[in-house]
Amino acid sequence: MNIAFVLVQSTIGHEMEVLNDLLKLDYVKEAKGTFGYYDILVKIEAPSENEIEKIITKKVRKVKNVNTTTTLSVISEQEHL
């Protein structure tokens, strides 16, 4: 299983709405509100890197009031350390 963390910046005042919409997406395992430049931290687990890319570009970024995303892909060889 491949893992990526996505940092999401949303429109002010819509953070909870965006968080709830993100939690409804397939392969999204967690979403937590954060303080700072980014509003939400999302954990995605999918069978392949290609699938993660599709989820981020075609689903996460299409959620209403998502303004920007930054993706941190986990190095698969280090997952079990």
Side-chain angles (χ1 to χ4, degrees):
M1 193 65 68
N2 290 274
I3 299 172
F5 293 95
V6 182
L7 301 165
V8 176
Q9 191 178 54
S10 63
T11 304
I12 294 171
H14 294 276
E15 297 86 358
M16 288 304 297
E17 172 189 323
V18 171
L19 187 136
N20 288 326
D21 288 346
L22 290 169
L23 284 168
K24 294 175 187 173
L25 299 177
D26 291 338
Y27 301 113
V28 170
K29 299 301 178 186
E30 292 182 57
K32 305 285 184 185
T34 60
F35 290 113
Y37 186 76
Y38 295 100
D39 302 303
I40 302 166
L41 173 66
V42 180
K43 181 180 181 183
I44 298 173
E45 290 183 23
S48 69
E49 295 266 343
N50 193 30
E51 190 68 29
I52 286 176
E53 182 181 324
K54 286 181 190 175
I55 293 160
I56 294 166
T57 58
K58 297 185 182 200
K59 294 187 179 184
V60 172
R61 291 182 182 164
K62 304 282 183 181
V63 169
K64 185 177 178 181
N65 293 306
V66 167
N67 296 330
T68 63
T69 63
T70 298
T71 302
L72 306 170
S73 297
V74 173
I75 300 168
S76 58
E77 294 83 24
Q78 295 178 352
E79 284 182 35
H80 302 290
L81 295 179

